Amino acid sequence: MSTITAAITAVGGYVPDFVLSNKVLETMVDTNDEWITTRTGIKERRILKDADKGTSFLAIKAAQDLIAKANIDPLEIDLILMATATADMPVASTGVYVATEIGATNAFAYDLQAACSSFLYGMSTAAAYIQSGRYKKVLLIGADKMSSIVDYKDRATCIIFGDGAGAVLFEPNYEGYGLQDEYLRSDGVGRDFLKIPAGGSLLPTSLETVNDNKHNIIQDGKTVFKYAVTNMADASELILKRNNLTNDDVNWLVPHQANKRIIDATAHRMNLEDDKVLMNIEKYGNTTSATLPLVLYDFEHLFKKGDTIIFAAFGGGFTWGSIYLTWAYDKK
């Protein structure tokens, strides 16, 4: 029997219609377009304005887009991995609901949470299921409604985050294409630097936590930036060295879209030309679990069968890593 590798065979995506531009943010908090653009590379972000719609809405849209484009039967999907930091609600899995809503009733599903590294970790998980030989179609969705946990009076965070979703289908490959190697890490030292203080078992919801505004995301920007620059760059460089790859061997870098300066530092460490570094941060901001698949969604037309792609991400916790994958198809 031939060796099984796990390859991405289809991509889907979705972003809400409402555009929150830097100019609009200037009317909401003490900031300006030049300051935001210079420090983050972000010009605008998409926001899901409907109060009665959560992350599942974004995920369903992205999954439906993939299913339609790939012309697959949802009943053939074996597993759905829902990478998200903003589940619809505690306890009840968002992925389970998404699976039912898209008609994937033969699949089992669950949520995976590793902050901004959720999708990267999900790629590893999906590949392991495929390589086991037990499953043929694993749908990995990265989706977050970050606007639901952002305080739009906090200029340190409201300028960064947006809403969106992306999805990829992993299937067995017998030509050697797909996920080749991974380097994934975590460090609990980051627990206090990027978090939502209340709403969990440590500090349950109460009138006091609500009044003290402890249910929105907070971060120590300088500390997170320092760790992100170092660890994303280190992980990406290591994955190249471990696989005897040079910058000439790499066709594309797909980095987490948190901050353009972090992306630039990672690309510099890898000695990559600018035209190999894929970015859409200016349009969407940081969509957390959705950044990596949305990059694939926006730039799928550039990928050729056999292309070497390096993924890199860094998230709260701290969580980070890099994945080396070879592309398995030419877009029709």
XYZ file of all heavy atoms in Angstrom, residues 122-223:
772
model
N -5.045 22.875 13.704
C -6.080 22.092 13.035
C -5.562 21.388 11.790
O -6.005 20.280 11.468
N -4.625 22.021 11.095
C -4.018 21.386 9.921
C -3.294 20.111 10.329
O -3.397 19.072 9.666
C -3.041 22.344 9.239
C -3.692 23.528 8.549
S -2.471 24.679 7.838
C -1.772 23.677 6.521
N -2.564 20.192 11.437
C -1.852 19.015 11.956
C -2.840 17.918 12.336
O -2.630 16.735 12.016
C -1.015 19.411 13.173
O -0.483 18.280 13.820
N -3.913 18.306 13.002
C -4.917 17.343 13.447
C -5.612 16.675 12.263
O -5.779 15.450 12.215
C -5.959 18.034 14.339
O -5.292 18.735 15.390
C -6.927 17.036 14.937
N -6.016 17.493 11.283
C -6.684 16.956 10.093
C -5.772 15.979 9.352
O -6.212 14.905 8.914
C -7.092 18.100 9.163
N -4.497 16.351 9.230
C -3.551 15.487 8.526
C -3.383 14.149 9.235
O -3.296 13.095 8.594
C -2.206 16.192 8.387
N -3.341 14.188 10.567
C -3.179 12.944 11.326
C -4.362 12.003 11.109
O -4.186 10.786 10.967
C -3.023 13.262 12.810
N -5.573 12.542 11.066
C -6.760 11.718 10.808
C -6.700 11.089 9.411
O -7.030 9.910 9.237
C -8.028 12.554 10.937
C -8.537 12.718 12.347
C -8.502 13.958 12.982
C -9.081 11.640 13.048
C -8.983 14.117 14.275
C -9.566 11.794 14.341
C -9.511 13.028 14.956
O -9.984 13.183 16.233
N -6.282 11.881 8.432
C -6.179 11.363 7.066
C -5.093 10.295 6.974
O -5.301 9.215 6.383
C -5.886 12.501 6.067
C -7.094 13.449 5.950
C -5.510 11.943 4.690
C -8.328 12.853 5.327
N -3.942 10.561 7.549
C -2.809 9.643 7.456
C -3.053 8.338 8.207
O -2.410 7.328 7.917
C -1.542 10.332 7.968
C -1.051 11.429 7.029
C -0.037 12.353 7.676
O 0.182 12.322 8.885
N 0.579 13.210 6.868
N -4.002 8.375 9.136
C -4.348 7.141 9.854
C -5.001 6.121 8.928
O -5.046 4.920 9.232
C -5.312 7.447 11.002
O -6.628 7.724 10.518
N -5.543 6.609 7.805
C -6.216 5.740 6.855
C -7.683 5.497 7.172
O -8.398 4.849 6.395
N -8.153 6.038 8.288
C -9.533 5.779 8.704
C -10.535 6.758 8.088
O -11.730 6.471 8.043
C -9.642 5.852 10.229
C -8.878 4.766 10.950
C -9.050 4.893 12.450
N -8.319 3.835 13.156
C -8.280 3.723 14.474
N -8.911 4.594 15.237
N -7.591 2.739 15.034
N -10.035 7.911 7.652
C -10.940 8.951 7.160
C -10.458 9.466 5.813
O -9.253 9.563 5.558
C -11.031 10.094 8.178
C -11.452 9.595 9.544
C -10.498 9.353 10.533
C -12.786 9.310 9.816
C -10.875 8.865 11.782
C -13.172 8.817 11.062
C -12.212 8.588 12.029
O -12.584 8.088 13.251
N -11.412 9.809 4.953
C -11.104 10.212 3.583
C -11.313 11.697 3.326
O -10.665 12.276 2.466
C -11.965 9.419 2.592
C -11.812 7.903 2.692
C -10.411 7.450 2.366
C -10.320 5.928 2.371
N -8.909 5.474 2.186
N -12.249 12.289 4.051
C -12.545 13.706 3.841
C -12.690 14.403 5.200
O -13.631 14.133 5.942
C -13.832 13.891 3.028
C -13.696 13.578 1.538
C -15.010 13.831 0.800
C -14.820 13.830 -0.708
N -14.261 12.598 -1.242
N -11.738 15.275 5.476
C -11.769 16.048 6.717
C -11.882 17.523 6.363
O -11.020 18.078 5.664
C -10.516 15.807 7.573
C -10.543 16.691 8.821
C -10.412 14.333 7.969
N -12.941 18.154 6.826
C -13.178 19.574 6.573
C -12.676 20.381 7.770
O -13.161 20.196 8.890
C -14.669 19.833 6.344
C -15.083 21.287 6.056
C -14.454 21.781 4.756
C -16.605 21.409 5.994
N -11.710 21.233 7.520
C -11.161 22.104 8.561
C -11.630 23.522 8.303
O -11.374 24.085 7.230
C -9.633 22.032 8.553
C -8.885 23.047 9.426
C -9.236 22.883 10.901
C -7.371 22.924 9.197
N -12.323 24.084 9.279
C -12.856 25.447 9.161
C -12.194 26.335 10.204
O -12.092 25.961 11.376
C -14.381 25.483 9.374
C -15.084 24.495 8.450
C -14.921 26.897 9.170
C -16.562 24.299 8.785
N -11.742 27.499 9.792
C -11.255 28.512 10.720
C -12.187 29.703 10.668
O -12.374 30.297 9.599
N -12.815 30.032 11.780
C -13.790 31.126 11.781
C -13.794 31.837 13.123
O -13.679 31.195 14.171
C -15.197 30.591 11.484
N -13.924 33.153 13.071
C -14.040 33.929 14.309
C -14.839 35.201 14.089
O -14.651 35.897 13.086
C -12.657 34.302 14.864
C -12.111 33.226 15.783
O -12.801 32.878 16.749
O -11.001 32.722 15.524
N -15.725 35.455 15.034
C -16.435 36.732 15.099
C -15.761 37.545 16.206
O -16.248 37.644 17.324
C -17.932 36.534 15.394
C -18.736 37.837 15.351
C -20.199 37.602 15.709
C -20.958 38.925 15.694
N -22.394 38.744 16.053
N -14.618 38.116 15.875
C -13.829 38.822 16.872
C -14.527 40.080 17.376
O -14.290 40.526 18.505
C -12.455 39.167 16.296
C -11.576 37.958 16.006
S -11.319 36.903 17.463
C -10.350 37.996 18.496
N -15.411 40.640 16.558
C -16.140 41.837 16.983
C -17.003 41.568 18.220
O -17.357 42.500 18.944
C -17.021 42.360 15.846
O -17.990 41.395 15.465
N -17.294 40.291 18.478
C -18.120 39.948 19.638
C -17.353 40.023 20.952
O -17.953 40.021 22.033
C -18.708 38.536 19.476
O -17.672 37.552 19.519
N -16.006 40.086 20.879
C -15.207 40.130 22.112
C -14.278 41.340 22.149
O -13.395 41.428 23.005
C -14.383 38.843 22.302
C -13.461 38.584 21.114
C -15.307 37.647 22.537
C -12.487 37.429 21.331
N -14.480 42.271 21.229
C -13.651 43.470 21.180
C -14.385 44.643 21.812
O -15.575 44.854 21.570
C -13.265 43.811 19.723
C -12.685 45.216 19.619
C -12.273 42.793 19.192
N -13.669 45.420 22.625
C -14.187 46.648 23.205
C -13.842 47.781 22.241
O -12.667 48.117 22.065
C -13.547 46.890 24.575
C -14.001 48.192 25.221
O -14.823 48.905 24.617
O -13.515 48.494 26.332
N -14.834 48.365 21.608
C -14.577 49.384 20.606
C -14.295 50.764 21.202
O -14.287 51.772 20.490
C -15.716 49.424 19.581
C -15.588 48.256 18.622
C -16.253 47.051 18.858
C -14.738 48.335 17.532
C -16.083 45.966 18.007
C -14.570 47.255 16.677
C -15.245 46.076 16.924
O -15.062 44.995 16.084
N -14.011 50.777 22.511
C -13.463 51.963 23.163
C -11.981 51.774 23.487
O -11.321 52.687 23.972
C -14.236 52.259 24.453
C -15.700 52.618 24.222
C -16.423 52.845 25.536
C -17.907 53.146 25.305
N -18.652 53.301 26.598
N -11.493 50.560 23.233
C -10.098 50.220 23.498
C -9.316 50.283 22.194
O -9.352 49.368 21.377
C -10.001 48.815 24.113
C -8.564 48.349 24.308
O -7.651 49.203 24.251
O -8.371 47.137 24.524
N -8.564 51.363 22.009
C -7.881 51.560 20.729
C -6.744 50.563 20.522
O -6.270 50.389 19.393
C -7.347 52.982 20.631
C -6.240 53.331 21.620
C -5.712 54.722 21.344
N -4.594 55.057 22.215
C -3.860 56.154 22.076
N -4.143 57.017 21.113
N -2.854 56.400 22.886
N -6.288 49.908 21.581
C -5.199 48.941 21.448
C -5.646 47.658 20.756
O -4.844 46.969 20.136
C -4.616 48.610 22.818
N -6.940 47.329 20.861
C -7.429 46.074 20.271
C -8.431 46.289 19.137
O -8.464 45.495 18.189
C -8.095 45.182 21.336
O -9.143 45.915 21.985
C -7.077 44.735 22.377
N -9.241 47.341 19.200
C -10.313 47.478 18.202
C -9.780 47.761 16.809
O -10.475 47.523 15.822
C -11.326 48.533 18.626
S -10.747 50.243 18.495
N -8.547 48.251 16.703
C -7.973 48.529 15.386
C -7.469 47.257 14.703
O -7.243 47.248 13.497
C -6.808 49.535 15.474
C -5.639 48.930 16.261
C -7.277 50.849 16.086
C -4.357 49.738 16.181
N -7.311 46.180 15.474
C -6.624 44.991 14.983
C -7.564 43.964 14.367
O -7.286 43.414 13.299
C -5.834 44.321 16.124
C -4.755 45.274 16.641
C -5.222 42.993 15.678
C -4.087 44.793 17.913
N -8.688 43.698 15.041
C -9.445 42.483 14.746
C -10.624 42.686 13.803
O -11.272 43.731 13.798
C -9.942 41.862 16.043
C -8.828 41.393 16.946
C -8.452 42.142 18.061
C -8.144 40.227 16.673
C -7.423 41.717 18.889
C -7.110 39.799 17.486
C -6.745 40.551 18.603
N -10.916 41.628 13.034
C -12.071 41.598 12.153
C -12.722 40.233 12.180
O -12.239 39.307 12.843
N -13.813 40.087 11.435
C -14.583 38.839 11.391
C -14.418 38.163 10.030
O -14.321 38.832 8.995
C -16.067 39.116 11.612
C -16.345 39.835 12.929
O -15.503 39.747 13.839
O -17.409 40.481 13.036
N -14.418 36.840 10.027
C -14.330 36.109 8.763
C -14.188 34.619 8.981
O -14.082 34.148 10.116
N -14.199 33.882 7.867
C -14.073 32.423 7.941
C -13.454 31.882 6.664
O -13.658 32.424 5.577
C -15.437 31.779 8.168
N -12.706 30.810 6.826
C -12.149 30.091 5.684
C -12.207 28.602 5.953
O -12.274 28.172 7.108
N -12.197 27.813 4.903
C -12.297 26.360 5.060
C -11.418 25.666 4.029
O -11.240 26.166 2.910
C -13.755 25.908 4.886
N -10.865 24.520 4.434
C -10.115 23.675 3.499
C -10.549 22.227 3.685
O -10.952 21.827 4.780
C -8.581 23.780 3.680
C -8.108 25.204 3.477
C -8.150 23.250 5.034
N -10.466 21.472 2.605
C -10.757 20.042 2.648
C -9.450 19.274 2.545
O -8.653 19.514 1.634
C -11.680 19.646 1.493
C -12.145 18.180 1.470
C -13.078 17.890 2.638
C -12.827 17.856 0.143
N -9.215 18.378 3.498
C -8.061 17.487 3.450
C -8.518 16.110 2.969
O -9.516 15.574 3.452
C -7.419 17.342 4.834
C -6.422 18.411 5.169
C -6.813 19.574 5.828
C -5.087 18.265 4.835
C -5.903 20.553 6.148
C -4.155 19.238 5.146
C -4.562 20.389 5.804
N -7.741 15.543 2.022
C -8.021 14.198 1.508
C -6.712 13.432 1.354
O -5.627 14.038 1.290
C -8.738 14.281 0.163
C -10.133 14.873 0.232
C -10.855 14.798 -1.095
O -10.674 15.724 -1.920
O -11.575 13.810 -1.331
N -6.782 12.106 1.270
C -5.568 11.313 1.082
C -4.922 11.599 -0.271
O -5.612 11.823 -1.269
C -6.070 9.863 1.130
C -7.408 9.935 1.785
C -7.980 11.258 1.413
N -3.591 11.593 -0.280
C -2.841 11.764 -1.516
C -1.779 10.680 -1.591
O -1.146 10.362 -0.582
C -2.193 13.150 -1.552
C -1.505 13.450 -2.870
O -0.382 13.038 -3.102
N -2.206 14.173 -3.739
N -1.604 10.117 -2.766
C -0.658 9.016 -2.931
C 0.505 9.389 -3.847
O 1.286 8.541 -4.249
C -1.393 7.785 -3.468
C -2.498 7.325 -2.547
C -3.812 7.723 -2.763
C -2.226 6.521 -1.443
C -4.830 7.319 -1.907
C -3.231 6.111 -0.583
C -4.536 6.521 -0.824
O -5.541 6.126 0.036
N 0.616 10.706 -4.157
C 1.712 11.198 -4.993
C 2.773 11.925 -4.170
O 3.763 12.412 -4.725
C 1.174 12.150 -6.060
C 0.170 11.545 -7.017
C -0.364 12.588 -7.990
O -1.324 13.304 -7.631
O 0.195 12.697 -9.097
N 2.541 12.006 -2.877
C 3.506 12.677 -2.013
C 3.216 14.133 -1.743
O 3.960 14.802 -1.007
N 2.113 14.663 -2.282
C 1.744 16.053 -2.035
C 1.005 16.165 -0.696
O 0.418 15.203 -0.210
C 0.865 16.594 -3.160
C 1.530 16.574 -4.510
C 1.017 15.790 -5.546
C 2.668 17.318 -4.747
C 1.631 15.771 -6.792
C 3.288 17.301 -5.991
C 2.760 16.526 -7.008
O 3.383 16.493 -8.230
N 1.018 17.365 -0.134
C 0.300 17.593 1.112
C 1.227 17.989 2.237
O 2.330 18.515 2.025
N 0.781 17.743 3.474
C 1.554 18.145 4.642
C 2.814 17.286 4.760
O 2.736 16.062 4.822
C 0.700 18.025 5.905
C 1.216 18.774 7.140
C 0.060 19.273 7.997
C 2.136 17.903 7.985
N 3.962 17.965 4.804
C 5.256 17.283 4.826
C 5.899 17.276 6.213
O 6.525 16.293 6.612
C 6.211 17.969 3.835
C 5.688 18.081 2.427
C 5.484 16.736 1.757
O 6.303 15.828 1.906
N 4.390 16.596 1.010
N 5.774 18.388 6.926
C 6.420 18.489 8.238
C 5.759 19.608 9.028
O 5.120 20.500 8.457
C 7.915 18.766 8.078
C 8.708 18.529 9.368
O 8.167 17.899 10.299
O 9.868 18.988 9.438
N 5.916 19.537 10.336
C 5.341 20.559 11.208
C 6.246 20.785 12.411
O 6.965 19.891 12.854
C 3.954 20.130 11.699
C 3.980 18.846 12.525
C 2.595 18.384 12.939
O 1.692 18.351 12.084
O 2.439 18.048 14.124
N 6.190 22.007 12.913
C 6.895 22.358 14.155
C 5.916 23.199 14.962
O 5.659 24.362 14.636
C 8.167 23.142 13.853
C 8.922 23.595 15.086
C 9.709 22.708 15.816
C 8.839 24.916 15.516
C 10.400 23.122 16.942
C 9.533 25.339 16.642
C 10.313 24.444 17.353
O 10.998 24.860 18.471
N 5.309 22.605 15.977
C 4.274 23.269 16.770
C 4.732 23.360 18.211
O 5.243 22.394 18.771
C 2.958 22.490 16.683
C 2.415 22.217 15.267
C 1.146 21.397 15.336
C 2.182 23.516 14.508
N 4.501 24.531 18.825
C 4.946 24.753 20.196
C 3.919 25.568 20.981
O 3.025 26.197 20.411
C 6.295 25.484 20.210
C 7.469 24.638 19.739
C 7.732 23.495 20.706
N 8.879 22.681 20.344
C 8.828 21.596 19.579
N 7.668 21.227 19.025
N 9.916 20.897 19.325
N 4.087 25.570 22.309
C 3.257 26.399 23.181
C 4.026 26.700 24.459
O 4.955 25.983 24.824
C 1.936 25.691 23.510
O 2.177 24.467 24.178
N 3.616 27.776 25.140
C 4.269 28.185 26.378
C 3.270 28.971 27.220
O 2.808 30.039 26.809
C 5.496 29.049 26.074
C 6.344 29.351 27.305
O 5.827 29.191 28.437
O 7.509 29.758 27.140
N 2.943 28.435 28.395
C 1.954 29.054 29.267
C 2.363 30.388 29.850
O 1.550 31.047 30.511
N 3.590 30.816 29.587
C 4.031 32.121 30.066
C 3.160 33.237 29.488
O 3.043 34.320 30.054
C 5.527 32.372 29.721
C 5.718 32.559 28.221
C 6.068 33.568 30.477
N 2.513 32.943 28.358
C 1.722 33.964 27.689
C 0.306 34.135 28.205
O -0.431 34.997 27.725
N -0.078 33.346 29.164
C -1.462 33.333 29.658
C -2.000 34.710 30.046
O -3.167 35.033 29.785
C -1.542 32.395 30.859
C -2.902 32.240 31.515
C -2.769 31.227 32.632
N -3.904 31.178 33.546
C -4.791 30.202 33.597
N -4.677 29.191 32.757
N -5.764 30.205 34.474
N -1.170 35.542 30.646
C -1.655 36.828 31.150
C -1.501 37.981 30.166
O -1.936 39.094 30.455
C -0.930 37.185 32.451
C -1.346 36.302 33.618
O -2.515 35.861 33.622
O -0.498 36.033 34.489
N -0.881 37.733 29.025
C -0.596 38.827 28.104
C -1.626 38.989 26.990
O -1.647 40.014 26.317
C 0.794 38.636 27.482
C 1.902 38.623 28.496
C 2.707 37.504 28.647
C 2.126 39.720 29.318
C 3.724 37.479 29.584
C 3.138 39.709 30.264
C 3.941 38.586 30.401
N -2.440 37.962 26.764
C -3.476 38.020 25.730
C -4.610 37.116 26.179
O -4.493 35.891 26.143
C -2.902 37.557 24.385
C -3.839 37.537 23.170
C -4.476 38.893 22.943
C -3.084 37.092 21.926
N -5.730 37.719 26.592
C -6.770 36.911 27.238
C -8.087 37.669 27.320
O -8.151 38.880 27.093
C -6.331 36.531 28.646
C -6.145 37.749 29.568
C -5.661 37.343 30.944
C -5.490 38.582 31.833
N -5.003 38.232 33.188
N -9.133 36.908 27.675
C -10.403 37.460 28.159
C -10.468 37.043 29.621
O -10.555 35.850 29.918
C -11.607 36.921 27.374
C -11.514 37.351 25.910
C -12.909 37.411 27.993
C -12.603 36.755 25.033
N -10.405 37.975 30.568
C -10.268 37.612 31.981
C -11.414 36.798 32.553
O -11.190 35.882 33.352
C -10.160 38.972 32.691
C -9.701 39.925 31.639
C -10.320 39.440 30.366
N -12.648 37.108 32.182
C -13.805 36.496 32.839
C -14.631 35.656 31.873
O -14.474 35.716 30.663
C -14.682 37.575 33.476
N -15.518 34.858 32.464
C -16.418 34.028 31.680
C -16.056 32.565 31.688
O -16.815 31.722 31.209
N -14.898 32.240 32.240
C -14.474 30.857 32.357
C -14.623 30.361 33.779
O -15.200 31.042 34.642
N -14.096 29.171 34.056
C -14.242 28.576 35.388
C -13.419 29.309 36.446
O -13.735 29.246 37.636
C -13.822 27.101 35.352
O -12.466 26.981 34.965
N -12.361 30.010 36.017
C -11.522 30.737 36.967
C -12.208 31.982 37.499
O -12.118 32.294 38.695
C -10.198 31.128 36.290
C -9.124 31.745 37.182
C -8.680 30.751 38.247
C -7.930 32.171 36.324
N -12.918 32.659 36.627
C -13.648 33.875 37.019
C -14.999 33.867 36.301
O -15.170 34.495 35.251
C -12.844 35.123 36.642
C -13.378 36.471 37.126
C -13.488 36.501 38.653
C -12.499 37.616 36.631
N -15.972 33.136 36.859
C -17.285 33.009 36.210
C -17.985 34.351 36.050
O -17.701 35.307 36.774
C -18.062 32.100 37.171
C -17.012 31.380 37.952
C -15.879 32.348 38.098
N -18.893 34.382 35.112
C -19.657 35.595 34.841
C -20.456 36.027 36.066
O -21.120 35.223 36.723
C -20.621 35.363 33.669
O -19.876 34.939 32.529
C -21.387 36.637 33.336
N -20.389 37.309 36.355
C -21.150 37.888 37.456
C -21.451 39.334 37.097
O -20.910 39.880 36.128
C -20.348 37.835 38.757
O -19.217 38.686 38.682
N -22.281 39.963 37.883
C -22.593 41.376 37.655
C -21.320 42.210 37.745
O -21.108 43.142 36.968
C -23.616 41.854 38.688
C -24.128 43.297 38.517
C -24.800 43.469 37.163
C -25.101 43.649 39.644
N -20.449 41.804 38.650
C -19.197 42.537 38.832
C -18.286 42.413 37.616
O -17.703 43.398 37.154
C -18.461 42.019 40.070
C -17.173 42.777 40.362
C -16.452 42.261 41.595
O -16.945 41.298 42.211
O -15.386 42.820 41.928
N -18.164 41.194 37.056
C -17.280 41.024 35.894
C -17.811 41.766 34.677
O -17.033 42.284 33.872
C -17.087 39.535 35.541
O -18.342 38.962 35.151
C -16.492 38.767 36.700
N -19.126 41.830 34.561
C -19.728 42.569 33.445
C -19.492 44.066 33.621
O -19.069 44.766 32.683
C -21.236 42.263 33.331
C -21.881 43.176 32.285
C -21.465 40.806 32.982
N -19.743 44.568 34.827
C -19.547 45.998 35.101
C -18.092 46.417 34.948
O -17.799 47.560 34.568
C -20.044 46.342 36.507
C -21.556 46.294 36.618
O -22.267 46.414 35.610
N -22.069 46.118 37.824
N -17.176 45.484 35.245
C -15.744 45.787 35.147
C -15.181 45.522 33.748
O -13.964 45.592 33.549
C -14.955 44.963 36.173
C -15.213 45.420 37.598
O -15.749 46.526 37.782
O -14.878 44.664 38.541
N -16.070 45.188 32.796
C -15.675 44.996 31.394
C -14.594 43.927 31.240
O -13.607 44.106 30.519
C -15.188 46.327 30.808
C -15.175 46.330 29.290
O -15.964 45.633 28.646
N -14.279 47.097 28.698
N -14.797 42.802 31.903
C -13.806 41.732 31.872
C -14.154 40.607 30.892
O -13.575 39.525 30.951
C -13.623 41.154 33.274
C -12.942 42.139 34.228
C -12.636 41.505 35.572
C -11.859 42.479 36.452
N -11.530 41.908 37.775
N -15.072 40.877 29.977
C -15.466 39.862 29.008
C -15.008 40.192 27.588
O -15.434 39.552 26.632
C -16.977 39.650 29.052
C -17.450 39.049 30.338
N -17.545 37.694 30.528
C -17.819 39.631 31.511
C -17.968 37.455 31.765
N -18.134 38.609 32.380
N -14.154 41.207 27.468
C -13.560 41.556 26.180
C -12.076 41.214 26.179
O -11.442 41.119 27.234
C -13.743 43.048 25.893
C -15.186 43.403 25.595
O -15.862 42.696 24.860
N -15.666 44.490 26.177
N -11.537 41.053 24.986
C -10.135 40.677 24.853
C -9.225 41.837 25.247
O -9.495 42.999 24.924
C -9.836 40.212 23.408
C -8.473 39.538 23.329
C -9.960 41.359 22.408
C -8.231 38.807 22.025
N -8.178 41.508 25.987
C -7.156 42.491 26.340
C -5.795 41.899 26.000
O -5.609 40.690 26.002
C -7.204 42.883 27.836
C -6.987 41.657 28.728
C -8.500 43.581 28.177
C -6.798 42.009 30.196
N -4.847 42.775 25.701
C -3.510 42.273 25.421
C -2.457 43.300 25.798
O -2.700 44.512 25.739
C -3.360 41.865 23.962
C -3.285 42.999 22.962
C -2.841 42.520 21.582
O -2.386 41.411 21.397
N -2.973 43.403 20.595
N -1.305 42.787 26.185
C -0.119 43.593 26.375
C 0.592 43.603 25.033
O 1.360 42.692 24.710
C 0.755 42.967 27.471
C 2.044 43.725 27.721
O 2.487 44.461 26.821
O 2.624 43.576 28.808
N 0.310 44.624 24.244
C 0.739 44.648 22.852
C 2.239 44.486 22.647
O 2.683 43.739 21.773
N 3.037 45.175 23.448
C 4.491 45.123 23.276
C 5.032 43.733 23.551
O 5.897 43.231 22.831
C 5.160 46.153 24.188
C 4.932 47.590 23.760
C 5.676 48.565 24.659
C 5.462 50.007 24.201
N 6.169 50.970 25.080
N 4.524 43.101 24.608
C 4.998 41.760 24.952
C 4.582 40.740 23.896
O 5.393 39.903 23.470
C 4.458 41.336 26.327
O 4.892 42.277 27.312
C 4.945 39.951 26.705
